[in-house]
């Protein structure tokens, strides 16, 4: 199976973010996911009035980075029982201009990480709701609400120490690589079939 180029969107802008540490750990744990964290902290707030030929360069490079990926992995904290504003802004930026969404059809997975017991489950589902509208096939299982995660779970290198959490993140990474195989493989087959039909005269 081919490797998949994955754009990781981290919902926290914080230095020392546990979400970013989980994202970096996941990249190191699966060799078929070629991951790149696409930064969202410098994206101006989305305003359609500014989305003409002179649009902010940061919007264009963000859209290009997402479009160039095979799949998208969101790793985010929960803020006030929803997703952080910075992440919602990134979703909005990537979704426009109308008809040119960077997100459409990209296989996706959502991991939420929190020191709290609920593991950011409500943020996870708020984000999932956006993905439905954005036409992103989102991995359903395993659900990834990582709760009670503190700095003690990480070593000096900022990566997950050996233990149950690391094993779970490894399982999620493997499931996401499989999910990308299924979705991308299915999409290529459909494309191949329709090209074949065209060649055969419709
Ligand atoms: C939080 N936090 C939080 N945690 C949670 O489980 N549910 C929540 O609704 C909230 N709400 C919330 C709002 C705001 C504005 C902040 C700053 C924080 C706590 C949050 O999970 C904690 O700060 C994490 O460490 C944030 O993730 P990073 O930045 O470490 O990746």
């Amino acid at each position: 199976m081919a490797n998949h180029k994955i754009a990781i969107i981290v919902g926290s802008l914080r230095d020392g973010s546990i979400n970013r540490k989980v994202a970096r750990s996941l990249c190191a744990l699966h060799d078929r996911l070629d991951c790149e964290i696409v930064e969202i902290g410098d994206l101006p707030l989305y305003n359609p009035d500014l989305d003409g030929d002179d649009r902010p360069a940061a919007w264009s490079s963000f859209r290009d980075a997402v479009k160039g990926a095979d799949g998208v992995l969101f790793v985010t904290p929960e803020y006030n029982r929803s997703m952080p504003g910075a992440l919602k802004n990134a979703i909005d930026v990537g979704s426009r201009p109308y008809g040119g969404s960077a997100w459409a059809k990209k296989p996706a997975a959502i991991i939420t990480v929190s020191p709290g017991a609920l593991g950011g489950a409500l943020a996870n589902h708020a984000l999932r709701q956006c993905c439905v509208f954005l036409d992103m096939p989102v991995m359903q299982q395993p659900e990834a609400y990582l709760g009670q995660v503190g700095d003690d779970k990480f070593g000096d290198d900022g990566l997950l120490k050996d233990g149950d959490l690391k094993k779970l993140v490894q399982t999620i990474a493997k499931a996401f690589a499989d999910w990308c195989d299924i979705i991308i493989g299915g999409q290529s087959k459909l494309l191949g079939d329709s090209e074949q039909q065209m060649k055969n005269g419709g």
Side-chain angles (χ1 to χ4, degrees):
M1 287 287 182
N3 279 20
H4 300 298
K5 189 175 171 194
I6 303 300
I8 301 192
I9 315 290
V10 177
S12 171
L13 307 184
R14 194 174 75 82
D15 277 347
S17 158
I18 53 174
N19 280 273
R20 184 173 287 263
K21 287 178 185 172
V22 166
R24 287 185 48 236
S25 300
L26 183 143
C27 301
L29 284 170
H30 203 281
D31 57 10
R32 284 210 301 117
L33 298 177
D34 296 335
C35 301
E36 186 197 348
I37 295 180
V38 180
E39 301 296 343
I40 62 171
D42 291 335
L43 293 175
L45 286 180
Y46 189 65
N47 177 350
D49 290 344
L50 305 181
D51 208 357
D53 291 343
D54 291 337
R55 64 178 60 87
W59 289 355
S60 301
S61 41
F62 178 76
R63 289 165 178 163
D64 289 346
V66 174
K67 282 182 184 169
D70 301 321
V72 179
L73 174 65
F74 297 98
V75 188
T76 184
E78 178 174 270
Y79 278 6
N80 299 308
R81 296 288 183 249
S82 188
M83 77 187 89
L87 176 55
K88 182 59 167 60
N89 184 51
I91 297 274
D92 295 341
V93 168
S95 71
R96 295 281 154 154
Y98 184 77
S101 170
W103 307 111
K105 311 273 189 262
K106 303 274 182 201
I110 301 173
I111 300 175
T112 43
V113 189
S114 172
L118 301 181
L122 280 86
N124 193 304
H125 281 267
L127 179 52
R128 209 165 271 270
Q129 183 175 327
C130 291
C131 293
V132 170
F133 179 67
L134 293 168
D135 199 16
M136 303 181 84
V138 184
M139 186 172 79
Q140 314 271 0
Q141 295 287 342
E143 293 176 298
Y145 318 125
L146 310 186
Q148 295 176 324
V149 178
D151 284 329
D152 58 311
K153 303 285 183 198
F154 305 93
D156 292 340
D157 56 1
L159 300 177
L160 280 164
K161 291 182 193 163
D162 288 343
D164 289 346
L165 183 60
K166 184 171 173 179
K167 278 189 205 146
L168 176 58
V169 169
Q170 197 155 25
T171 302
I172 294 165
K174 160 87 171 66
F176 186 46
D178 292 347
W179 182 244
C180 289
D181 289 340
I182 292 165
I183 300 298
I184 294 167
Q187 288 169 345
S188 312
K189 183 172 180 331
L190 276 175
L191 207 63
D193 286 353
S194 66
E195 274 167 10
Q196 198 56 50
Q197 271 179 0
M198 299 271 279
K199 278 186 198 151
N200 294 343

